[in-house]
mmCIF file of all heavy atoms in Angstrom:
data_model
loop_
_atom_site.group_PDB
_atom_site.id
_atom_site.type_symbol
_atom_site.label_atom_id
_atom_site.label_comp_id
_atom_site.label_asym_id
_atom_site.label_seq_id
_atom_site.Cartn_x
_atom_site.Cartn_y
_atom_site.Cartn_z
ATOM 1 N N VAL A 650 6.802 -25.742 19.450
ATOM 2 C CA VAL A 650 7.321 -26.825 19.988
ATOM 3 C C VAL A 650 8.511 -26.499 21.006
ATOM 4 O O VAL A 650 8.980 -27.155 21.710
ATOM 5 C CB VAL A 650 8.037 -27.843 18.973
ATOM 6 C CG1 VAL A 650 7.041 -28.462 18.113
ATOM 7 C CG2 VAL A 650 9.142 -27.248 18.107
ATOM 8 N N ASN A 651 8.878 -25.214 20.971
ATOM 9 C CA ASN A 651 9.795 -24.713 21.952
ATOM 10 C C ASN A 651 9.169 -23.917 23.096
ATOM 11 O O ASN A 651 9.917 -23.246 23.904
ATOM 12 C CB ASN A 651 10.884 -23.751 21.278
ATOM 13 C CG ASN A 651 11.874 -24.540 20.341
ATOM 14 O OD1 ASN A 651 12.419 -25.412 20.752
ATOM 15 N ND2 ASN A 651 11.839 -24.239 19.159
ATOM 16 N N MET A 652 7.822 -23.864 23.084
ATOM 17 C CA MET A 652 7.146 -23.052 24.125
ATOM 18 C C MET A 652 6.328 -23.993 25.119
ATOM 19 O O MET A 652 5.539 -24.610 24.684
ATOM 20 C CB MET A 652 6.150 -22.072 23.512
ATOM 21 C CG MET A 652 6.821 -21.181 22.637
ATOM 22 S SD MET A 652 5.788 -19.967 21.669
ATOM 23 C CE MET A 652 4.857 -19.079 23.048
ATOM 24 N N ASP A 653 6.698 -23.860 26.375
ATOM 25 C CA ASP A 653 6.027 -24.623 27.371
ATOM 26 C C ASP A 653 4.431 -24.461 27.277
ATOM 27 O O ASP A 653 3.749 -25.427 27.453
ATOM 28 C CB ASP A 653 6.386 -24.386 28.728
ATOM 29 C CG ASP A 653 7.975 -24.690 28.976
ATOM 30 O OD1 ASP A 653 8.435 -25.397 28.166
ATOM 31 O OD2 ASP A 653 8.506 -24.178 30.076
ATOM 32 N N ALA A 654 4.080 -23.318 27.088
ATOM 33 C CA ALA A 654 2.673 -22.950 27.063
ATOM 34 C C ALA A 654 1.871 -23.772 26.010
ATOM 35 O O ALA A 654 0.667 -24.137 26.286
ATOM 36 C CB ALA A 654 2.372 -21.401 26.918
ATOM 37 N N TRP A 655 2.481 -23.978 24.891
ATOM 38 C CA TRP A 655 1.808 -24.797 23.900
ATOM 39 C C TRP A 655 1.593 -26.266 24.419
ATOM 40 O O TRP A 655 0.615 -26.879 24.115
ATOM 41 C CB TRP A 655 2.707 -24.875 22.613
ATOM 42 C CG TRP A 655 2.171 -25.685 21.464
ATOM 43 C CD1 TRP A 655 1.090 -25.409 20.586
ATOM 44 C CD2 TRP A 655 2.672 -26.952 21.123
ATOM 45 N NE1 TRP A 655 0.928 -26.516 19.726
ATOM 46 C CE2 TRP A 655 1.948 -27.465 19.926
ATOM 47 C CE3 TRP A 655 3.772 -27.687 21.492
ATOM 48 C CZ2 TRP A 655 2.183 -28.589 19.341
ATOM 49 C CZ3 TRP A 655 3.972 -29.089 20.902
ATOM 50 C CH2 TRP A 655 3.137 -29.491 19.870
ATOM 51 N N TYR A 656 2.659 -26.739 24.978
ATOM 52 C CA TYR A 656 2.387 -28.173 25.504
ATOM 53 C C TYR A 656 1.246 -28.275 26.506
ATOM 54 O O TYR A 656 0.576 -29.179 26.529
ATOM 55 C CB TYR A 656 3.729 -28.619 26.200
ATOM 56 C CG TYR A 656 4.905 -28.932 25.224
ATOM 57 C CD1 TYR A 656 5.619 -27.878 24.764
ATOM 58 C CD2 TYR A 656 5.123 -30.176 24.734
ATOM 59 C CE1 TYR A 656 6.740 -28.038 23.876
ATOM 60 C CE2 TYR A 656 6.195 -30.382 23.908
ATOM 61 C CZ TYR A 656 6.964 -29.424 23.448
ATOM 62 O OH TYR A 656 7.965 -29.608 22.616
ATOM 63 N N LYS A 657 1.230 -27.321 27.465
ATOM 64 C CA LYS A 657 0.208 -27.241 28.381
ATOM 65 C C LYS A 657 -1.221 -27.027 27.758
ATOM 66 O O LYS A 657 -2.240 -27.735 28.157
ATOM 67 C CB LYS A 657 0.511 -26.103 29.421
ATOM 68 C CG LYS A 657 -0.619 -26.018 30.487
ATOM 69 C CD LYS A 657 -0.227 -24.938 31.494
ATOM 70 C CE LYS A 657 -1.318 -24.809 32.562
ATOM 71 N NZ LYS A 657 -1.058 -23.683 33.556
ATOM 72 N N ALA A 658 -1.192 -26.202 26.792
ATOM 73 C CA ALA A 658 -2.446 -25.834 26.074
ATOM 74 C C ALA A 658 -3.164 -27.109 25.346
ATOM 75 O O ALA A 658 -4.336 -27.278 25.496
ATOM 76 C CB ALA A 658 -2.268 -24.501 25.106
ATOM 77 N N PHE A 659 -2.351 -27.802 24.813
ATOM 78 C CA PHE A 659 -2.854 -29.059 24.025
ATOM 79 C C PHE A 659 -2.473 -30.402 24.667
ATOM 80 O O PHE A 659 -2.601 -31.339 24.037
ATOM 81 C CB PHE A 659 -2.424 -29.034 22.552
ATOM 82 C CG PHE A 659 -2.948 -27.774 21.840
ATOM 83 C CD1 PHE A 659 -2.082 -26.603 21.773
ATOM 84 C CD2 PHE A 659 -4.162 -27.722 21.345
ATOM 85 C CE1 PHE A 659 -2.615 -25.427 21.186
ATOM 86 C CE2 PHE A 659 -4.693 -26.689 20.610
ATOM 87 C CZ PHE A 659 -3.820 -25.403 20.531
ATOM 88 N N ASN A 660 -2.017 -30.274 25.863
ATOM 89 C CA ASN A 660 -1.694 -31.562 26.529
ATOM 90 C C ASN A 660 -0.785 -32.458 25.789
ATOM 91 O O ASN A 660 -0.969 -33.704 25.667
ATOM 92 C CB ASN A 660 -2.880 -32.301 27.029
ATOM 93 C CG ASN A 660 -2.769 -33.435 27.933
ATOM 94 O OD1 ASN A 660 -1.722 -33.311 28.908
ATOM 95 N ND2 ASN A 660 -3.477 -34.553 28.001
ATOM 96 N N VAL A 661 0.333 -31.955 25.210
ATOM 97 C CA VAL A 661 1.190 -32.582 24.593
ATOM 98 C C VAL A 661 2.170 -33.247 25.501
ATOM 99 O O VAL A 661 2.816 -32.796 26.428
ATOM 100 C CB VAL A 661 2.127 -31.579 23.620
ATOM 101 C CG1 VAL A 661 3.105 -32.456 22.787
ATOM 102 C CG2 VAL A 661 1.158 -30.992 22.683
#
Side-chain angles (χ1 to χ4, degrees):
V650 298
N651 290 304
M652 296 176 64
D653 296 344
W655 176 75
Y656 288 84
K657 182 179 179 181
F659 295 98
N660 193 31
V661 179

